Amino acid sequence: MHASAGPARSPGRGDLTGLYTPKLLTVLREGYGLRDLRADAIAGLTVAVVALPLSMAIAIAAGTTPDRGLYTAIVGGFLVSALGGSRFQIGGPAGAFIVLVASTVARHGMDGLVLATLLAGLMLAAAGALRLGTFVKFVPYPVTVGFTAGIAVIIFASQVHELFGLVLSGPEPGPIIPKLLALGGAAGTWNPAAVGITALTVTLILAAKRWRPRWPGLLIGVVAATVVTALAGLPVETIGSRFGGIPQGIPVPGLPEISVTRILAVLPDAAAFALLGAIESLLSAVVADGMTGRRHRSNCELVAQGVANVGSALFGGFCVTGTIARTATNVRAGARGPVSGMLHSLFLLAFVLVAAPLASYVPLAALAGVLAVVAWNMIEKHAFAALLRTSRGDAAILLATFGLTVFVDLLSGIVAGIAIGGIVFIYRIAEQTTVTEAPLQDMPDSMEPRPRYDAGADPDVVVYRITGAFFFGTAARVGAVLDSIAARHGTFVLDLGGVQVIDSTGAATIEMAARKAGQSGIRFVIASAAPGVRTLLETHGLTEPTVSYVTRAEAVRRGTDGAD
């Protein structure tokens, strides 16, 4: 901690370099030795073992080739760790993007996907530069739980044909209902060998998690399934039979086809990538903070995610984001800083350069089994059940987000969830706002107590207090009360001492009540208004002689004097 002799500077006016300093530099400045490097190397290798099958599985499920997933993890993952605002963030392809990537490939092809990734990177970098990272954190928790569960359902549905070795009569539909109908129609084509490989993979993954949680269960399951398939000569599809294997190297960087027409066509997809990427990466960083007690730099993280997506696109990859499962694995493996994430990418690069031909033997049913386990783990089952029990508002947000994500699309689910969340919040705040008759008690500035004002002596003076936020959500209800009260008294005192937040709708409501009172010859007095509240009211025309601004004690005293 550093002491400062001068006044504290606000984040908006202070030195911004700290907000955008990568955590890599912070770690190096703190002192980084051989012991730290050894710990990061072990953690990086552990994460790479997890990321290797997962990156290929996600890429295949998203409608691309397995090498694209590896390029995404290598280039994007390296840049996220090198430039990011989290010490432990691991970047790469994420299961949450499978649906969006698959739909983008179906509409615009691989070149369109790469362009959308490039544009999403620019959007993310701009969002970080504009310091919008803080606002991403305002996404309601039920929305996050709902769209994550919805994505998990879609991922699992997309893997059913691989899990059972089904042979479809045509292209697999994207929407969930037609997809399920097509899968049901192909049920008679199931492949016992594929089912066996799936069962073997899932069993080994779950067994490792249960009895040897530190072992790389995903890799063990895939390797075992690959060995069994090769030795037994099982009739199942492999990476080699469908894709012809994985190139032994990474491509030369290059730009996709860029034109105004092309940009406009993929812009909605790019915006969806950027929105989901921002939410997913910052959520992952928060999870890492909770596990380590550290704090990430959200805007620096967004800039890094943007650069990583641009880099991924240049090398033929697709959208990159922070990945919660791999980040948590990194923390549990004893990582000391971002070097572990950089090494994880280098280990993946070494695999591509040395052992890529071996990937041709990996059965697709094994990778589908990996994604089935990932989908199951993505669903926050306890949180889902708890939100359904918490309140009707939270349940509505959750179910709307989940349902629209599954049956319409991810962006609709997120937008609808946030909108419903905003309405629920407005309703809850509005319910806390009250208009009540205040005791007519003289509260002078001095400490001398004064007797309670006798309401019977002056029935034409009344004091009412508004407590809570006075905004568009409460304006109609409060306005009706003000109209009914102000019309029956000679002096109406509106005590705003309990109002700290007011918007233009609230100010306009008071202005209309004051104008109506003035037309009826009623004195309208505003008491105890906070400086910010008074400034807004005066902006809306609530100035002398329309109203008088006094303390509440002065208001009661004036009312008494006027009656005399």
Side-chain angles (χ1 to χ4, degrees):
M1 295 179 66
H2 300 276
S4 175
R9 293 178 299 181
S10 68
R13 297 177 180 271
D15 185 4
L16 297 181
T17 56
L19 295 176
Y20 296 100
T21 300
K23 280 300 178 80
L24 176 62
L25 293 181
T26 302
V27 169
L28 295 178
R29 288 171 183 170
E30 292 173 351
Y32 191 82
L34 186 59
R35 180 178 299 179
D36 299 310
L37 179 59
R38 186 183 301 112
D40 280 338
I42 295 173
L45 180 60
T46 303
V47 176
V49 166
V50 173
L52 177 61
L54 202 53
S55 298
M56 293 190 293
I58 290 172
I60 293 172
T64 70
T65 54
D67 56 312
R68 304 273 184 168
L70 292 174
Y71 302 153
T72 302
I74 292 169
V75 179
F78 187 89
L79 293 174
V80 165
S81 296
L83 304 176
S86 171
R87 290 174 182 256
F88 307 102
Q89 184 85 281
I90 299 296
F97 281 88
I98 288 176
V99 180
L100 291 177
V101 172
S103 62
T104 303
V105 171
R107 289 194 302 270
H108 308 293
M110 276 303 307
D111 205 51
L113 172 63
V114 172
L115 179 58
T117 300
L118 179 67
L119 294 176
L122 297 177
M123 292 178 188
L124 285 167
L130 295 173
R131 303 173 65 185
L132 300 180
T134 304
F135 296 99
V136 176
K137 300 176 184 178
F138 294 157
V139 175
Y141 181 59
V143 173
T144 303
V145 175
F147 83 70
T148 303
I151 290 170
V153 170
I154 295 174
I155 290 174
F156 183 82
S158 71
Q159 296 304 298
V160 170
H161 73 287
E162 301 286 9
L163 292 170
F164 294 94
L166 302 180
V167 179
L168 301 179
S169 58
E172 184 175 353
I176 190 71
I177 298 300
K179 180 191 294 289
L180 294 178
L181 293 175
L183 292 172
T189 65
W190 71 284
N191 183 346
V195 174
I197 289 298
T198 297
L200 173 64
T201 305
V202 172
T203 300
L204 290 175
I205 293 173
L206 297 181
K209 182 178 180 181
R210 174 68 177 84
W211 287 292
R212 292 291 186 271
R214 291 187 175 274
W215 289 14
L218 296 180
L219 187 63
I220 291 172
V222 172
V223 169
T226 302
V227 171
V228 170
T229 300
L231 294 180
L234 297 179
V236 296
E237 274 200 289
T238 64
I239 289 178
S241 65
R242 181 177 295 183
F243 302 104
I246 294 177
Q248 201 165 358
I250 59 175
V252 176
L255 288 171
E257 177 191 346
I258 299 178
S259 66
V260 174
T261 303
R262 194 77 166 154
I263 289 174
L264 293 176
V266 302
L267 198 58
D269 302 283
F273 289 168
L275 176 61
L276 182 57
I279 295 173
E280 189 82 2
S281 62
L282 294 185
L283 181 61
S284 177
V286 169
V287 170
D289 289 349
M291 296 177 68
T292 62
R294 299 285 187 173
R295 292 186 63 185
H296 71 281
R297 297 170 183 144
S298 57
N299 294 301
C300 178
E301 184 64 28
L302 287 185
V303 172
Q305 295 288 338
V307 174
N309 275 275
V310 171
S312 176
L314 293 178
F315 283 88
F318 51 92
C319 38
V320 181
T321 188
T323 56
I324 296 175
R326 275 160 275 175
T327 298
T329 300
N330 188 39
V331 173
R332 286 194 293 264
R336 301 292 177 86
V339 174
S340 64
M342 298 164 66
L343 290 175
H344 127 271
S345 295
L346 295 179
F347 286 132
L348 290 176
L349 176 60
F351 169 81
V352 171
L353 295 176
V354 176
L358 297 177
S360 298
Y361 300 99
V362 175
L364 298 181
L367 295 180
V370 168
L371 286 181
V373 174
V374 169
W376 174 254
N377 291 334
M378 281 179 66
I379 302 175
E380 300 177 64
K381 295 167 279 291
H382 296 295
F384 200 103
L387 287 170
L388 289 176
R389 296 192 302 265
T390 300
S391 69
R392 287 183 295 179
D394 287 338
I397 300 169
L398 174 69
L399 294 177
T401 305
F402 175 75
L404 288 172
T405 298
V406 173
F407 295 104
V408 183
D409 59 63
L410 178 62
L411 193 58
S412 298
I414 293 176
V415 170
I418 292 175
I420 296 173
I423 294 171
V424 170
F425 175 76
I426 291 170
Y427 174 79
R428 288 172 177 169
I429 294 298
E431 286 296 295
Q432 303 300 316
T433 302
T434 60
V435 184
T436 56
E437 185 172 5
L440 292 176
Q441 173 73 35
D442 190 353
M443 302 287 289
D445 295 333
S446 69
M447 297 300 295
E448 288 290 328
R450 296 194 182 184
R452 179 179 295 274
Y453 176 73
D454 183 5
D458 188 5
D460 286 336
V461 179
V462 66
V463 179
Y464 267 76
R465 166 173 287 179
I466 300 177
T467 303
F470 191 11
F471 65 116
F472 65 90
T474 58
R477 179 164 54 87
V478 174
V481 175
L482 293 182
D483 287 342
S484 63
I485 296 171
R488 299 199 303 265
H489 302 278
T491 299
F492 179 73
V493 181
L494 183 62
D495 185 354
L496 297 182
V499 176
Q500 298 301 316
V501 177
I502 187 171
D503 69 353
S504 58
T505 306
T509 301
I510 296 177
E511 190 272 334
M512 287 187 288
R515 187 171 64 247
K516 180 178 178 181
Q519 293 171 351
S520 302
I522 298 169
R523 181 166 30 173
F524 199 100
V525 180
I526 296 177
S528 305
V533 173
R534 177 169 177 172
T535 298
L536 184 60
L537 293 177
E538 289 176 341
T539 302
H540 280 262
L542 287 163
T543 58
E544 298 280 0
T546 305
V547 298
S548 300
Y549 290 95
V550 295
T551 66
R552 184 165 173 267
E554 290 172 337
V556 175
R557 199 157 47 241
R558 289 188 184 186
T560 305
D561 294 342
D564 293 339

